């Protein structure tokens, strides 16, 4: 992350006038200083805790904000899903960048008939992607820092390990890890943002939707099912920033789709034209001439008052 930030800073300085685009590197104190400046709009990407602080700082200056906050994105898998493709897509989306993306599947809700086969299929997909030892794979990433490593390690406590779990704090390696979890456990109480994938079993889609609706609205909901009625039920019975049917993560790549959250997962939209409109001020301009100035708009109105009220309505 630090290397990418340095590269971006160099590229921006080389290609943009600083009065047009400026990139400032820094941590929390730098961000707090920036929030004291009278910007026209603030777009923040991060967690809900810091998002609240950003919104509070912006409110003191009445600066509009767009917040993209992530959240616990559920991945619901029903018995009729294509097992091999579903497993491959979930494994790719979850372990891309070692799980450190806001749209990564956070946990799996699977019906009884497919849960165990799905677990085995995801294990097989992980091995096909990264080999028997992902630490040796050039295609598998590392955690951003030791604080995140420690946070993820703590989330493992109390869960039942299904696969993976190998880790090295010094190198920030954390293997793709599948676990069986309970709703009351810490791993199900906060956004994971790492390569840990909890599995929970549900009776049916209605039970899965009810479970999702008990929590905060997620940035994305993923449903794997070929049943159109199931797809419609999810769309009509849940709230989220977005929904993807039979895939994960790819919605973020389409510039034609508005991207953002709802409730605790954020507010406002970006990407493509939607991002352009977010950063634009839609100013209304009305121009009149002096040639026509009808007297009936001016008082006294007399019996024209009822007509004027209809006109203003």
């Amino acid at each position: 992350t630090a290397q990418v930030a340095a590269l971006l800073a160099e590229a921006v300085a080389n290609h943009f006038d600083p009065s047009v685009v400026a990139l400032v590197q820094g941590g929390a104190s730098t961000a707090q200083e920036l929030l004291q400046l009278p910007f026209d709009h603030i777009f923040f990407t991060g967690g809900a805790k810091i998002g609240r602080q950003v919104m509070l700082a912006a409110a003191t200056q009445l600066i509009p904000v767009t917040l993209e906050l992530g959240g616990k994105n559920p991945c619901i898998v029903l018995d009729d899903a294509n097992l091999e493709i579903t497993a491959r897509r979930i494994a790719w989306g979850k372990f891309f960048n070692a799980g450190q993306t806001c749209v990564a599947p956070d946990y799996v809700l699977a019906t009884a008939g497919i849960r165990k086969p799905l677990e085995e299929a995801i294990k097989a997909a992980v091995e096909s992607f990264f080999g028997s030892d992902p630490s040796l794979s050039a295609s598998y990433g590392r955690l951003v820092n030791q604080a995140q490593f420690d946070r993820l390690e703590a989330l493992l406590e109390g869960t039942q390990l299904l696969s993976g779990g190998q880790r090295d704090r010094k190198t920030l390696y954390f293997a793709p890890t599948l676990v069986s979890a309970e709703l009351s456990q810490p791993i199900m109480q906060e956004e994971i943002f790492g390569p840990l994938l909890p599995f929970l079993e549900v009776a049916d889609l209605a039970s899965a939707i009810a479970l999702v609706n008990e929590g905060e609205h997620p940035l994305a909901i993923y449903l794997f099912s070929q049943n159109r009625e199931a797809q419609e039920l999810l769309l009509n019975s849940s709230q989220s920033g977005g929904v993807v049917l039979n895939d994960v993560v790819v919605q973020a790549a389409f510039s034609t789709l508005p991207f953002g959250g709802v409730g605790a997962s954020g507010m406002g939209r970006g990407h493509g034209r939607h991002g352009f409109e977010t950063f634009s001020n839609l100013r209304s301009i009305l121009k009149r001439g002096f040639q026509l100035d009808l007297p009936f708009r001016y008082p006294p109105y007399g019996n024209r008052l009822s007509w004027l009220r209809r006109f203003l309505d």
Side-chain angles (χ1 to χ4, degrees):
T1 299
Q3 292 173 343
V4 172
L7 180 62
L8 283 173
E10 180 182 351
V12 168
N14 287 339
H15 296 287
F16 291 96
D17 185 288
S19 65
V20 178
V21 180
L23 189 152
V24 179
Q25 297 188 74
S29 60
T30 303
Q32 290 171 358
E33 287 187 46
L34 285 171
L35 289 172
Q36 305 308 311
L37 301 177
F39 290 108
D40 294 321
H41 196 100
I42 294 173
F43 194 116
F44 172 77
T45 299
K49 179 180 178 181
I50 305 301
R52 291 184 176 93
Q53 297 177 19
V54 170
M55 196 169 183
L56 282 170
T60 62
Q61 300 186 77
L62 295 179
I63 300 174
V65 298
T66 300
L67 304 177
E68 191 272 279
L69 304 178
K72 296 192 72 64
N73 305 315
C75 191
I76 304 170
V77 184
L78 304 185
D79 288 351
D80 68 310
N82 181 300
L83 180 63
E84 183 179 351
I85 294 177
T86 297
R88 192 160 56 234
R89 291 177 178 176
I90 292 175
W92 169 76
K94 178 61 179 181
F95 301 117
F96 177 78
N97 198 37
Q100 297 165 116
T101 65
C102 61
V103 289
D106 193 272
Y107 60 98
V108 172
L109 300 174
T111 46
I114 203 170
R115 175 180 172 172
K116 290 298 182 182
L118 180 63
E119 291 174 5
E120 296 304 316
I122 291 180
K123 292 177 190 177
V126 169
E127 183 167 353
S128 71
F129 293 165
F130 310 117
S132 58
D133 184 357
S135 69
L136 303 177
S137 172
S139 299
Y140 188 68
R142 297 295 184 269
L143 300 184
V144 66
N145 55 40
Q146 290 183 340
Q148 291 303 309
F149 182 97
D150 295 340
R151 183 184 64 84
L152 291 171
E153 193 169 52
L155 289 181
L156 274 181
E157 294 181 10
T159 65
Q160 178 187 350
L161 187 66
L162 301 175
S163 69
Q166 301 85 1
R167 51 198 184 271
D168 184 340
R169 190 174 189 270
K170 184 177 180 180
T171 63
L172 299 177
Y173 169 71
F174 214 119
T177 301
L178 310 185
V179 301
S180 179
E182 302 293 335
L183 282 175
S184 59
Q185 294 175 324
I187 198 169
M188 292 302 300
Q189 301 303 312
E190 64 176 79
E191 181 182 6
I192 295 172
F193 208 76
L196 311 181
L197 184 60
F199 280 79
L200 291 88
E201 188 172 308
V202 291
D204 50 28
L205 177 58
S207 300
I209 294 173
L211 189 153
V212 172
N213 287 343
E214 287 178 3
E216 302 284 4
H217 301 318
L219 183 61
I221 297 177
Y222 303 117
L223 171 66
F224 285 85
S225 173
Q226 302 177 68
N227 187 302
R228 286 193 175 185
E229 291 184 359
Q231 295 173 358
E232 290 295 327
L233 178 61
L234 174 70
L235 295 175
N236 294 328
S237 306
S238 64
Q239 279 190 281
S240 61
V243 174
V244 181
L245 304 174
N246 299 320
D247 210 336
V248 299
V249 176
V250 294
Q251 76 274 23
F254 287 85
S255 62
T256 54
L257 289 176
F259 184 81
V262 59
S265 60
M267 62 183 68
R269 294 293 181 268
H271 287 200
R273 180 177 180 85
H274 308 283
F276 179 84
E277 291 176 347
T278 291
F279 286 105
S280 300
N281 174 39
L282 301 180
R283 181 168 59 164
S284 299
I285 301 172
L286 175 65
K287 183 179 180 180
R288 294 289 312 276
F290 294 107
Q291 292 79 8
L292 185 64
D293 192 43
L294 299 176
F296 66 80
R297 65 185 273 187
Y298 302 112
Y301 297 115
N303 58 9
R304 289 182 288 121
L305 186 58
S306 59
W307 177 90
L308 183 63
R309 285 174 176 164
R310 288 197 300 271
F311 175 77
L312 293 175
D313 288 341

